[in-house]
Amino acid sequence: MKFIVGNWKMNGTISDMENMTQAISEIETENKVILCPPFTLLYCKNNGVTIGAQNISEHENGAYTGDISGQMIIDAGAKYVLVGHSERRLYHNETNEIVKSKASMAIKHNLIPIICVGETLDERKSGKTEYVIKTMLEQSLPGDGEFMIAYEPRWAIGTGLTPTIPEIESVHKLLFEYLKNRKNTPILYGGSVKPDNAQTIANVPHVDGLLVGGASLKPETFLPIIKSVK
Ligand code: PGA
């Protein structure tokens, strides 16, 4: 069983959500599928598919216009939440410290945070990948509670570029070693996962699942990914 997480980002309508969850519910798979649509779709009919949010406020509740709390997310029926996605870090200035508070808030509300880490192309080219990933882990992981990690090299997100298999393997090994004293922390890979590379990437040692952006938007590309991963 692998985790296959779809991140819809700022895409999707009520009918897209109903169509996708219906399509997912009709296939047979041993994988655990989690769909993360925008907040507006969390409470839609989900045909039994597990739902996650894409962001969470680090605050409990109160005067934070436009923010969504952990209590609201769980109330809407979600079980997971993405935290620290590189687009949040980049466009909303989310620091490791904020990511840690958000992950802790998620755990407090019985949500499982999927905490994203990854290097830029410059960092990779200058040999800093390991250092950057370790720093992110040290500074953004909550002290305890259940969570998942997604390794998403920033330069691979939405670009069609993917790291080589040995590159993925080496970062996942590092993550596995770092997390080995914590029981069962799944480690996902994300960044330009497509139907034609999903199975190969999912078979890399210490890859427990995939975080899929663009290819999760349409059943024509998402279902083949779910089906191909064994
Ligand atoms: P992508 O996005 O699959 O479109 O590269 C992945 C992500 O941002 O989670």
Side-chain angles (χ1 to χ4, degrees):
M1 186 284 282
K2 303 269 180 183
F3 292 89
I4 312 286
V5 183
N7 172 13
W8 274 12
K9 310 190 179 187
M10 198 172 71
N11 297 287
T13 60
I14 292 172
S15 69
D16 293 331
M17 179 72 177
E18 290 184 359
N19 290 341
M20 178 62 88
T21 55
Q22 176 70 36
I24 295 170
S25 72
E26 284 167 4
I27 56 172
E28 287 210 6
T29 175
E30 286 182 5
N31 296 319
K32 170 83 182 164
V33 181
I34 301 164
L35 193 60
C36 301
F39 285 128
T40 50
L41 304 180
L42 292 183
Y43 193 58
C44 282
K45 188 168 171 219
N46 61 35
N47 294 295
V49 175
T50 302
I51 302 301
Q54 297 175 16
N55 183 29
I56 178 173
S57 172
E58 67 266 46
H59 304 291
E60 194 73 60
N61 52 41
Y64 299 101
T65 302
D67 284 348
I68 302 286
S69 72
Q71 184 192 19
M72 294 167 184
I73 294 169
I74 203 109
D75 191 42
K79 305 264 186 292
Y80 292 80
V81 59
L82 299 175
V83 178
H85 188 280
S86 66
E87 287 150 16
R88 300 290 318 170
R89 292 177 186 264
L90 185 63
Y91 304 134
H92 298 272
N93 302 320
E94 288 189 8
T95 59
N96 288 332
E97 196 185 14
I98 293 173
V99 172
K100 184 174 179 175
S101 328
K102 289 187 169 201
S104 305
M105 191 55 88
I107 290 167
K108 185 170 172 198
H109 287 280
N110 293 320
L111 288 157
I112 299 177
I114 303 172
I115 303 166
C116 305
V117 297
E119 79 288 0
T120 64
L121 195 53
D122 278 353
E123 287 163 346
R124 174 161 284 277
K125 281 187 178 155
S126 52
K128 292 197 193 125
T129 302
E130 190 165 319
Y131 169 77
V132 169
I133 303 281
K134 274 198 178 149
T135 307
M136 283 180 148
L137 294 170
E138 272 156 26
Q139 297 179 0
S140 38
L141 298 192
D144 46 23
E146 191 180 350
F147 59 81
M148 292 170 36
I149 295 289
Y151 168 52
E152 295 210 303
R154 288 187 183 202
W155 51 276
I157 295 178
T159 57
L161 302 170
T162 48
T164 62
I165 295 301
E167 283 169 343
I168 295 176
E169 186 168 350
S170 109
V171 176
H172 277 256
K173 185 164 182 290
L174 179 151
L175 291 166
F176 176 79
E177 293 294 330
Y178 190 91
L179 296 162
K180 74 172 177 228
N181 292 332
R182 304 181 43 92
K183 272 198 203 107
N184 304 327
T185 300
I187 307 167
L188 315 182
Y189 168 81
S192 294
V193 173
K194 302 279 181 273
D196 61 2
N197 63 15
Q199 193 192 359
T200 310
I201 297 175
N203 284 340
V204 172
H206 307 306
V207 173
D208 302 307
L210 304 170
L211 177 50
V212 188
S216 72
L217 293 174
K218 298 256 177 289
E220 301 88 271
T221 43
F222 198 36
L223 300 191
I225 291 176
I226 299 168
K227 288 192 220 163
S228 71
V229 171
K230 301 273 189 283

